[in-house]
Amino acid sequence: MDSSSDDDVPLGQLMAGRKTAKPNAVVSSSSVAVSSSPSSSSKRSSSSKKRPNYKEDSDDDDEDFEYNDDYETSNGSKKKKIKMENGGSSSSNSKKKPKVEKKAAVKIEPNGNGKDPPKKSGVASPTTKPKKKTPIKKESAASGTSTSAAGAGATSKRGLKQMDKAERISHAMQAYLWWNANDPPAGCQWVKMEHAGVSFPEEYAPHGVKMLYDGKEVDLSPLEEEAATFFAAMDPDGMHLGNPKTAPIFIKNFMTDFKALLGKGHVIKDFDKCDFGPIRRHLEEQKIVKKAITDSERKQNKDVKNTAMFQFGYSLVDGHLEKVGNYNMEPPGAFRGRGEHPKMGKLKQRVAPEQVMINISECAPAPKCAVPGHAWGEVRHDPTVQWLCQWTENINNQNKYMQLAAQSSFKGKSDRSKYNKAAKLCGNIVKIRADYKKNLTSKSHETRQLATAMWVIDRLALRVGGEKDTDEEADTVGCCSLRVEHLKFDPNNEGDDNKEIELEFLGKDSMLFKQTIDFGSALYTENNGMGEQVYENFKSFCKKKKPSDDVFSDLTPTILNSHLKGIMEGLTAKVFRTYNASKTLQDELLKTEGTAGWKRLTASEKVVEYNNANREVAILCNHQRSVSKAQEATLDNLGAKLDKLKEQKKVLKKILKKITDGDESKIPTKKDPAKLVEKATKALEKAKSMKEKAKTKEEKIAATEADEKAKILKKEVADVKFNEAHLWDNVPKKDQVIKRIENWSEKIKKMELNIKHKDDNKEVSLGTSKLNYMDPRISVAFCKRNEVPIEKIFSKTMRDKFNWAMAVPPDWQFNEEVGKQG
């Protein structure tokens, strides 16, 4: 892997590096890397922050970003300009594509005057790849200046004309490097902000299918029919209605709200007499009908979705575009919740524009409400907050917000600050641990409880927890809210000096935490770990208490959080979790990289080792997930394929023996699947034709059934090809067989790794820790020093979210120095 490709560098980062590059010179890491100190950004001159103007040869209006009608129209004329962060603008009249010669690259001048920059050799342009084996690639690989940040070099593979509108906008946004920009005034999140508000779902369209009550059809108003449809859409065997614990809660809450909607005197009173079957069958039928969608209808739906995205999905913040996260208002429905939520089944009401508060800058025009006959509830101008829109939902009466997307500068700044704060613990953790270890043996009961809670948060990565109103929220538990019933001493009845405690409770999002902790093991006792003392403390805290009593009876989240902040500014239980997750990942990776034979591993094998380290973090943080039927089916299919590959390898070895012995009789060859291929092709064409011609519901259902049958035939063709992939059309030569045996050995090895990875991680959520707890710079540095493509570690979404982390060098370390950056 060549980790230095310009495709892997964010567009703006590429520019910043090349503004100062000399012809034929190697681009150094200092010119393109993210600054390792907060002061570095302020040292940059204002000119270095300007985005160069690009010219495209296109007179298409569609090339320009259409924000909304109010933004496009200024003084009665179309305004096709987007204001840049430096006060300049990009106009459709000035868009022309620069002519790039193959042997010459473009040096980007920082003046942003819109003129074609002078051409220099030796430095690659952002729209072209440098030649192979150039000094740039070699040096970049060594210095680790790039790994892949969000597909930022896409223009080197495809020109802007080949991109769709959304891709061009995304590419343009990458030119803004928020970590190099000036911060807004103290206390403010932004100076200027403009957006189009929130997009509301369409009004309910009644289907007219009647539910039954006591065997008779019931007339319902559109609002009542909508509520009945919410319940009918629930899977009777799903996690809510199919669970004997949650089903009664869901049904009770739904019927309470449903009867309130129906009003007094309505015939519907008893759930047991309700039959939602007709509506449920109608919904299933509609799913089948929707599968008969044609390519043109699919494109039309995508266009409608994109139209909403282009209108509501972007915000203009301080002169640069930012992606909006949740611009679609959540539609009404039956509240589901997580775990045994006491309010599951209640009806979520439709949110009206009058309930929504808009937040924009004073100089920005208020966005037009997209719902005819309605207006926004309030327009505010508050730069001290990040949210764009706010409203209150009816289930828990909580405020909901429309905010910028995960890859925005707001989220990026928050993430970097979070990880830097966690890194600050590197320099304080020894002092903090010494303090709470000393207090584990304190004579004061309150002090011992506080110290024990600190130990648990640090070593077991538990959240603080707090008191819950179980009528309003699910009964989830953290450290401070542990009850005696959640602890089981000596769970295996081993007796003697056993120091084991089984902890079992529902944590955040009602995820089960169930671990047996051996407080006497070396893991918790070595280096004065004080595990045995913690065990004794737990015994004393639980002594003579009822199962429903609190373990930490003298401790509250407020007391614990105040203590944490007194030790280190900004210290919380989450900072401990982030620190321990990041430190664990880094330590596990460095330990693995130090093993014998590490350098001989392939990139795929190194990814497996990375996932093993990631899994340790996920287990530490209790990031679990339930195994779906689809996951089980995938593992079964992969297992069957692996068995088939091994059988094919045995056949190949037999063929090799026959050829070596000079016996070419009865050597199997491929069968011609032409007839089956033709049959499948005709079936697919027929199904496509039926979809195009289908007008009625019956015709669409028939088209869907034909399409399903055609897909089965297509799968049969794929199976036949896979089953005979190891064979040839004619009798092969000896060297051909030897080569194929080698290929099959490699295939088997890769599939075994893949199956092991999926099986090991089927009950563990690796993504949660990567997104929220492990410093992304650790992963980026790992990829650079081991030549592992970042795409193997981070998804596109993660690369966009962590674009600020992509320029760290290969030897970057999560340590105290990082914590000093703030």
Side-chain angles (χ1 to χ4, degrees):
M1 167 204 153
D2 189 347
S3 64
S4 63
S5 169
D6 288 340
D7 296 345
D8 298 334
V9 187
L11 178 62
Q13 191 71 61
L14 195 63
M15 307 267 163
R18 284 170 184 168
K19 286 174 187 175
T20 57
K22 296 179 181 179
N24 299 318
V26 173
V27 181
S28 69
S29 60
S30 61
S31 65
V32 293
V34 174
S35 170
S36 60
S37 69
S39 61
S40 63
S41 60
S42 61
K43 291 178 182 178
R44 292 174 178 267
S45 66
S46 59
S47 62
S48 68
K49 295 171 187 169
K50 294 181 181 179
R51 174 184 171 184
N53 290 340
Y54 283 92
K55 295 186 178 182
E56 298 175 18
D57 33 332
S58 171
D59 296 324
D60 256 343
D61 284 347
D62 192 58
E63 296 278 326
D64 297 296
F65 168 62
E66 300 173 10
Y67 188 71
N68 57 33
D69 293 340
D70 291 332
Y71 186 73
E72 291 174 353
T73 306
S74 177
N75 300 324
S77 62
K78 284 279 185 178
K79 188 174 182 181
K80 291 288 187 176
K81 294 184 178 181
I82 299 176
K83 195 172 182 183
M84 301 300 176
E85 62 161 321
N86 61 1
S89 63
S90 175
S91 172
S92 59
N93 297 329
S94 65
K95 283 188 175 181
K96 288 187 179 179
K97 208 167 190 176
K99 295 179 181 178
V100 182
E101 295 179 9
K102 291 183 178 179
K103 295 185 179 179
V106 179
K107 179 182 178 183
I108 306 299
E109 296 293 346
N111 54 18
N113 57 13
K115 297 180 182 179
D116 289 332
K119 295 178 180 178
K120 300 284 183 181
S121 61
V123 183
S125 81
T127 55
T128 54
K129 287 184 179 179
K131 281 185 172 184
K132 291 182 179 179
K133 297 182 181 179
T134 60
I136 293 176
K137 281 184 174 282
K138 291 178 181 177
E139 179 65 17
S140 296
S143 59
T145 58
S146 62
T147 297
S148 170
T155 45
S156 61
K157 296 178 181 177
R158 295 189 301 153
L160 289 175
K161 279 193 173 184
Q162 280 71 47
M163 294 182 181
D164 61 29
K165 190 172 182 177
E167 288 175 318
R168 293 198 302 274
I169 293 171
S170 177
H171 188 73
M173 287 192 296
Q174 290 165 12
Y176 174 64
L177 306 181
W178 59 259
W179 51 92
N180 290 339
N182 291 326
D183 291 330
C188 292
Q189 303 292 333
W190 45 267
V191 176
K192 295 179 182 179
M193 182 165 71
E194 181 178 352
H195 57 87
V198 63
S199 174
F200 292 90
E202 294 181 357
E203 289 295 320
Y204 175 71
H207 49 65
V209 179
K210 300 180 187 298
M211 67 172 286
L212 303 178
Y213 184 76
D214 204 11
K216 298 176 183 178
E217 291 185 344
V218 181
D219 291 325
L220 299 174
S221 69
L223 195 60
E224 294 163 353
E225 181 193 280
E226 183 182 29
T229 304
F230 293 152
F231 188 88
M234 299 296 296
D235 183 358
D237 300 318
M239 65 169 61
H240 295 91
L241 295 181
N243 186 334
K245 289 184 178 180
T246 57
I249 303 171
F250 193 98
I251 292 168
K252 179 185 175 183
N253 288 332
F254 170 76
M255 285 305 293
T256 300
D257 285 5
F258 189 39
K259 286 193 287 186
L261 189 65
L262 295 170
K264 292 181 179 180
H266 199 279
V267 65
I268 296 178
K269 297 186 182 300
D270 186 0
F271 175 78
D272 291 335
K273 294 180 180 180
C274 292
D275 183 0
F276 297 91
I279 300 178
R280 186 170 283 130
R281 287 189 290 274
H282 166 75
L283 295 177
E284 290 297 327
E285 200 173 65
Q286 288 303 303
K287 286 181 184 178
I288 297 172
V289 169
K290 285 180 180 179
K291 287 182 180 179
I293 188 172
T294 63
D295 291 341
S296 59
E297 288 172 333
R298 188 175 285 106
K299 184 180 182 303
Q300 186 178 359
N301 290 345
K302 184 180 178 182
D303 290 342
V304 170
K305 186 178 178 181
N306 283 343
T307 299
M309 182 183 70
F310 294 138
Q311 182 179 356
F312 299 101
Y314 298 92
S315 174
L316 199 59
V317 182
D318 292 338
H320 61 272
L321 280 179
E322 295 272 20
K323 193 93 166 59
V324 177
N326 53 328
Y327 58 85
N328 287 318
M329 176 62 70
E330 188 175 359
F335 179 68
R336 303 188 180 193
R338 297 174 187 262
E340 298 176 31
H341 199 290
K343 291 192 174 183
M344 63 170 60
K346 291 184 68 65
L347 295 178
K348 289 188 296 181
Q349 297 173 0
R350 186 180 295 272
V351 178
E354 285 77 10
Q355 297 171 254
V356 178
M357 186 188 299
I358 298 290
N359 191 28
I360 53 173
S361 53
E362 290 187 40
C363 60
K368 180 181 177 182
C369 180
V371 184
H374 290 265
W376 305 116
E378 183 183 344
V379 177
R380 286 181 60 180
H381 314 292
D382 187 358
T384 64
V385 296
Q386 295 183 356
W387 55 266
L388 285 65
C389 298
Q390 175 188 302
W391 63 95
T392 304
E393 51 85 30
N394 70 292
I395 301 295
N396 295 306
N397 202 34
Q398 293 179 339
N399 288 335
K400 295 282 186 178
Y401 302 94
M402 182 180 90
Q403 303 195 65
L404 295 182
Q407 65 264 40
S408 68
S409 59
F410 288 0
K411 301 294 184 185
K413 290 174 186 176
S414 175
D415 280 342
R416 187 177 66 173
S417 175
K418 175 179 73 175
Y419 291 117
N420 287 352
K421 187 184 292 181
K424 191 177 178 182
L425 256 184
C426 293
N428 293 279
I429 194 66
V430 174
K431 178 184 71 176
I432 292 170
R433 285 174 176 167
D435 179 66
Y436 72 63
K437 285 177 183 178
K438 178 185 69 177
N439 291 330
L440 284 172
T441 55
S442 171
K443 293 181 180 179
S444 167
H445 191 261
E446 293 83 357
T447 303
R448 275 192 293 122
Q449 286 205 350
L450 180 60
T452 304
M454 288 278 292
W455 189 97
V456 168
I457 287 170
D458 180 20
R459 300 302 301 270
L460 303 184
L462 262 62
R463 293 178 174 87
V464 170
E467 293 181 0
K468 299 276 185 180
D469 182 350
T470 53
D471 291 332
E472 297 291 324
E473 300 177 77
D475 182 21
T476 56
V477 173
C479 180
C480 290
S481 50
L482 280 172
R483 298 190 292 272
V484 175
E485 61 189 336
H486 298 136
L487 280 69
K488 186 176 180 181
F489 293 85
D490 191 13
N492 300 314
N493 297 314
E494 294 178 4
D496 298 328
D497 296 329
N498 185 273
K499 303 289 184 182
E500 290 183 345
I501 300 178
E502 182 184 78
L503 289 173
E504 183 176 2
F505 57 87
L506 294 180
K508 185 181 177 182
D509 295 333
S510 296
M511 293 304 297
L512 177 67
F513 182 100
K514 187 175 181 179
Q515 290 184 25
T516 298
I517 312 297
D518 184 0
F519 290 88
S521 67
L523 178 64
Y524 300 114
T525 57
E526 64 183 0
N527 299 322
N528 192 31
M530 302 287 285
E532 292 183 348
Q533 182 61 50
V534 172
Y535 175 84
E536 295 301 326
N537 286 355
F538 269 124
K539 280 188 71 175
S540 67
F541 297 158
C542 296
K543 194 174 181 180
K544 296 181 181 180
K545 286 185 179 179
K546 299 175 184 177
S548 58
D549 289 344
D550 290 335
V551 174
F552 296 103
S553 52
D554 298 327
L555 186 64
T556 65
T558 304
I559 294 172
L560 180 55
N561 284 324
S562 297
H563 178 72
L564 290 173
K565 289 174 183 175
I567 296 173
M568 188 185 97
E569 184 182 357
L571 183 61
T572 64
K574 187 171 183 179
V575 175
F576 269 107
R577 284 170 65 83
T578 306
Y579 163 79
N580 280 316
S582 299
K583 193 72 167 60
T584 299
L585 177 70
Q586 180 167 272
D587 291 347
E588 289 292 320
L589 291 178
L590 291 175
K591 182 169 66 177
T592 305
E593 290 175 67
T595 57
W598 170 258
K599 292 183 179 180
R600 293 194 297 272
L601 296 182
T602 64
S604 296
E605 290 169 329
K606 289 176 180 177
V607 170
V608 170
E609 295 301 326
Y610 173 89
N611 288 331
N612 289 339
N614 189 0
R615 187 167 61 254
E616 292 298 318
V617 176
I619 292 169
L620 172 72
C621 296
N622 194 42
H623 294 150
Q624 301 178 39
R625 63 179 177 184
S626 55
V627 183
S628 66
K629 292 179 181 178
Q631 282 178 297
E632 293 289 2
T634 300
L635 281 170
D636 289 343
N637 290 336
L638 286 174
K641 281 190 173 183
L642 178 62
D643 291 339
K644 193 64 184 177
L645 287 174
K646 289 178 177 179
E647 287 178 20
Q648 291 172 340
K649 185 178 176 182
K650 289 178 182 177
V651 172
L652 286 170
K653 286 185 174 181
K654 288 179 181 178
I655 293 173
L656 179 61
K657 188 175 186 307
K658 276 182 168 288
I659 294 175
T660 303
D661 295 342
D663 179 12
E664 295 188 0
S665 63
K666 295 183 180 180
I667 290 180
T669 55
K670 280 185 180 178
K671 296 174 184 177
D672 187 3
K675 289 184 179 180
L676 187 58
V677 171
E678 184 182 0
K679 185 179 178 182
T681 303
K682 285 182 178 179
L684 287 167
E685 289 174 353
K686 182 182 177 182
K688 185 177 180 180
S689 176
M690 289 175 70
K691 284 183 182 180
E692 296 287 348
K693 294 176 181 177
K695 303 296 181 187
T696 65
K697 179 178 71 175
E698 291 75 16
E699 288 173 340
K700 288 184 177 181
I701 290 173
T704 300
E705 290 173 350
D707 188 54
E708 294 296 328
K709 290 178 181 177
K711 286 178 179 176
I712 291 172
L713 284 174
K714 186 179 178 182
K715 187 178 182 303
E716 287 176 4
V717 171
D719 288 342
V720 168
K721 289 182 177 179
F722 177 77
N723 291 338
E724 297 192 347
H726 61 303
L727 302 178
W728 289 263
D729 294 327
N730 301 303
V731 175
K733 294 181 180 178
K734 184 177 179 179
D735 58 341
Q736 288 178 301
V737 181
I738 293 171
K739 187 175 180 180
R740 187 151 293 185
I741 289 173
E742 291 173 354
N743 289 341
W744 250 240
S745 297
E746 189 62 29
K747 280 186 177 184
I748 290 168
K749 188 177 180 181
K750 284 183 178 179
M751 189 161 285
E752 285 175 337
L753 278 173
N754 190 19
I755 291 172
K756 185 179 184 305
H757 166 64
K758 289 183 181 295
D759 189 53
D760 288 345
N761 300 315
K762 65 183 180 182
E763 295 180 347
V764 178
S765 176
L766 300 183
T768 305
S769 48
K770 275 198 280 193
L771 271 174
N772 300 307
Y773 290 99
M774 302 186 317
D775 193 318
R777 293 169 289 192
I778 299 171
S779 300
V780 173
F782 168 82
C783 288
K784 287 183 176 181
R785 64 177 174 265
N786 292 293
E787 296 189 334
V788 173
I790 191 66
E791 292 83 2
K792 299 286 186 182
I793 301 295
F794 284 166
S795 65
K796 173 70 164 60
T797 302
M798 290 182 185
R799 298 198 301 275
D800 287 344
K801 176 179 169 68
F802 298 130
N803 60 344
W804 56 271
M806 294 298 161
V808 296
D811 59 351
W812 187 90
Q813 291 277 315
F814 179 81
N815 55 31
E816 185 180 0
E817 291 303 311
V818 174
K820 294 177 181 177
Q821 297 172 19

